C-alpha cells in the first residue's frame, strides 16, 4: 500500500460537484469507481476540498492510499482509461505517507473568467460568466486591493458549515484584461463558502458603477453578507491550483499540458 | 421589404448542421423561427453553404429578405433574443438587393483545431480533435503546400451531391503551432464535401510518419479517395469566414467580438 497524489482537471458542468453524494454523479465518485475497477478494492480519494456543482478545476489535488503493483506512469494512464469524459488526471506521483491533499494544503489559487462581448458567446457559456457592457477595471482593481490581506470575510461568505473563524488571508488578487473580458486570479490561505463568487459579484458591481471601490473596506468591516454583491455564477469559477509547502508534480513541465486552452495569453 | 445579411457564430455540437431538416434542430431553422416570431411572417434564410452536424461556425454568413420597420441595430438585438443558446448573430446590416450569401460568395476560410496533449482535454472535447503524441509540423506544412493551387480534389472529397467539376483553387493553407497542438487555416474558392476534414485526416498521417509528404501530389493525381487519409472529426472544424468581392460588416471592428476565445494568439 502506498500513498499517491494526483492533479486533476474537470469540467464542472458535467458533474454535481466534487463530493460524493448518493444519486448524483460527482468527481470524487468517478475517481473512486475508476480506481476500484482498476485495483479491485475500494479506495477513498481525499480531495484538497470540495467544489460545488458547476465549478471547474484545472489543478484540483487529491490523495489516496492504494495497493497496486502498477508504477506511477502506468497507473496514471490506466486511471485515465477508467474515468468518464470531463475528468482528466493530469499528473500522478507516489508521495510521503503523511501527505494529505486537504490537511497538507497551505492555500489555493482560483481563476474566475468573465466575458463582456456584445452578445452571449456561442461557445462555452458553461465555462465563463457573460455580462454585457464595459467594466471599469481600474476601479475593480482598487476594490480588489482592499480585499487583499488578513480580514474577516463574513461579508463575502454564504452561510455554510460552521467554522471557528471567518478570518482568511488573501495574498493577492489580479485582474487581467482580455480582449473580450477579464480573468480574475485570487490566491489565499483558505476560502469561505462561495467566497470567490461573492468577491466577483461585488467587484462586478464596482466595475459597472453600482458600487464605489472606496466602500470596500467598510463592506468587509460590516461582516454583513447582505451588504455585498450577489454570488456570481459557478460557470466562471476554476480551481486553478492547490499550494503545498513542498514542490508537487515537479517531474513534469507545467506548461506542457494545459487543462484549458487560451485562458492565459 | 429589404435585403439583410448577417454574420453568425454557432456551436455545431448543439445542432444537426445548418440546413433545415424535419425532425432535427438545425441552425437555419433556429434563425427562420426566430425571424418569424419577430416579424410575424415566414422568412427564408439563405446561408453561404451548409455545414454538417457537429461542424462549428465563427463567421457563417446568411442573407434574407424581410419586411420590418426595425432598424439594423435593433433587429440584431431582437433576433438574438429569439435564437436558442449556441447560436449568436454577431453582425447584421442591410445590403444591396442582389446580394445573396451563397451566390455572391467568392470563397471561404476554415479553421481546424487539433490538440495533442497527453490526455484528452477535460474541457471542449466537442470543439477540437484530440490525438495523442507529437506531430511533425514541418512535414505537414510540406504536404499542405502541395495542396495549395488549382487541383482536382476528388481524392479528398466524400461522395456527395453531383457537381460539374471537382477542380477547386486553394489559395493558402497555414499550420499555426500551438503550445498544445496546432490550428490549420485553409482558404479557397470552394470546397468539396468533407474536403477540409479529408485534408486534415491526410495531413495528420503525414505528421505521424504514416505517410510521406512527397507523395501528396501523386495522391491528388490519383483522384482516388481511398488513397487519402480518413475524414477527421467534425468537432475540430470551424467555418471561419466567407469571402465576398465587397467589404461586408465594415462598420464594426473585427476584433471586438471574437466568437471563440483563444483560438488565435
Amino acid at each position: 500500500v502506498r500513498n499517491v497524489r494526483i492533479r486533476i482537471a474537470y469540467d464542472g458542468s458535467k458533474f454535481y460537484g466534487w463530493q460524493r453524494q448518493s444519486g448524483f454523479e460527482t468527481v470524487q465518485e468517478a475517481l473512486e469507481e475508476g480506481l476500484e475497477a482498476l485495483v479491485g478494492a475500494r479506495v477513498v480519494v481525499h480531495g484538497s476540498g470540495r467544489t460545488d456543482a458547476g465549478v471547474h478545476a484545472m489543478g484540483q489535488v487529491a490523495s489516496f492510499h492504494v495497493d497496486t503493483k502498477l508504477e506511477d506512469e502506468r497507473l496514471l494512464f490506466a486511471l485515465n482509461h477508467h474515468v468518464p469524459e470531463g475528468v482528466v488526471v493530469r499528473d500522478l506521483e507516489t508521495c510521503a505517507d503523511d501527505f494529505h491533499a486537504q490537511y497538507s494544503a497551505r492555500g489555493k489559487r482560483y481563476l474566475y473568467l468573465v466575458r463582456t462581448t456584445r452578445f452571449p458567446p456561442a461557445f462555452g457559456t458553461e465555462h465563463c460568466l457573460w455580462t454585457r457592457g464595459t467594466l471599469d477595471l481600474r476601479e475593480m482593481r482598487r476594490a480588489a486591493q482592499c480585499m487583499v490581506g488578513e480580514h474577516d470575510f463574513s461579508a463575502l461568505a454564504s452561510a455554510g458549515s460552521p467554522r471557528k473563524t471567518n478570518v482568511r488571508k488573501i495574498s493577492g488578487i489580479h485582474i487581467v484584461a482580455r480582449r473580450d473580458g477579464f480573468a480574475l486570479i485570487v490566491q489565499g490561505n483558505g476560502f469561505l463558502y462561495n467566497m470567490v463568487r461573492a468577491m466577483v459579484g461585488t467587484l462586478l458591481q464596482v466595475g459597472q458603477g453600482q458600487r464605489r471601490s472606496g466602500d470596500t473596506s467598510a463592506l468587509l468591516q460590516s461582516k454583513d453578507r447582505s451588504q455585498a454583491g450577489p454570488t456570481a455564477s459557478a460557470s466562471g469559477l476554476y480551481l486553478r491550483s492547490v499550494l503545498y509547502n513542498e514542490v508537487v508534480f515537479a517531474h513534469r513541465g507545467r506548461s506542457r499540458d494545459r487543462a484549458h486552452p487560451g485562458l492565459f495569453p
Side-chain angles (χ1 to χ4, degrees), chain A residues 121-158:
Chain A
F123 305 91
T125 45
E126 284 158 330
H127 300 106
C128 68
L129 168 72
W130 173 75
T131 178
R132 182 173 276 137
T134 50
L135 296 165
D136 187 336
L137 294 190
R138 217 164 65 153
E139 279 301 295
M140 289 172 67
R141 287 189 183 112
R142 247 178 224 154
Q145 285 326 300
C146 302
M147 297 174 181
V148 173
E150 197 166 75
H151 303 284
D152 183 312
F153 282 100
S154 303
L156 295 170
S158 304

Side-chain angles (χ1 to χ4, degrees), chain A residues 1-4 6 20 28-46 63-68 75 79:
Chain A
V1 177
R2 69 186 201 266
N3 195 19
V4 167
I6 54 178
R20 228 185 153 97
Q28 187 183 28
E29 186 185 17
L31 290 164
E32 290 181 349
E33 288 186 350
L35 281 165
E36 184 167 348
L38 204 58
V39 303
R42 176 110 172 76
V43 175
V44 178
V45 174
H46 303 282
S63 59
F64 52 85
H65 282 82
V66 68
D67 186 9
T68 173
L75 184 58
L79 182 53

Side-chain angles (χ1 to χ4, degrees), chain A residues 32-93:
Chain A
E32 290 181 349
E33 288 186 350
L35 281 165
E36 184 167 348
L38 204 58
V39 303
R42 176 110 172 76
V43 175
V44 178
V45 174
H46 303 282
S48 73
R50 308 175 197 178
T51 53
D52 285 327
V55 175
H56 314 288
M58 302 184 200
Q60 167 72 293
V61 175
S63 59
F64 52 85
H65 282 82
V66 68
D67 186 9
T68 173
K69 282 175 185 157
L70 290 172
E71 285 165 40
D72 286 358
E73 187 75 359
R74 303 198 66 174
L75 184 58
L76 171 61
F77 276 79
L79 182 53
N80 270 313
H81 273 284
H82 284 84
V83 293
E85 194 182 300
V87 186
V88 177
V89 184
R90 298 171 60 196
D91 298 288
L92 181 151
E93 65 187 12

Side-chain angles (χ1 to χ4, degrees), chain A residues 156 194-205 208 210-211 225-233:
Chain A
L156 295 170
N194 278 349
M195 183 168 145
V196 180
R197 293 165 61 184
M199 279 180 164
V200 171
T202 304
L203 293 174
L204 282 174
Q205 289 186 332
Q208 288 159 346
Q210 297 169 32
R211 177 186 291 276
R225 178 67 187 85
S226 72
Q227 302 288 308
T231 302
S233 162

Side-chain angles (χ1 to χ4, degrees), chain A residues 17 29 31 40 89 107 144 152 168 171 186 189 191 217 231 258:
Chain A
E29 186 185 17
L31 290 164
V89 184
D152 183 312
R168 296 291 183 276
S171 47
V186 55
N189 67 353
F191 292 86
S217 295
T231 302
R258 288 191 301 163

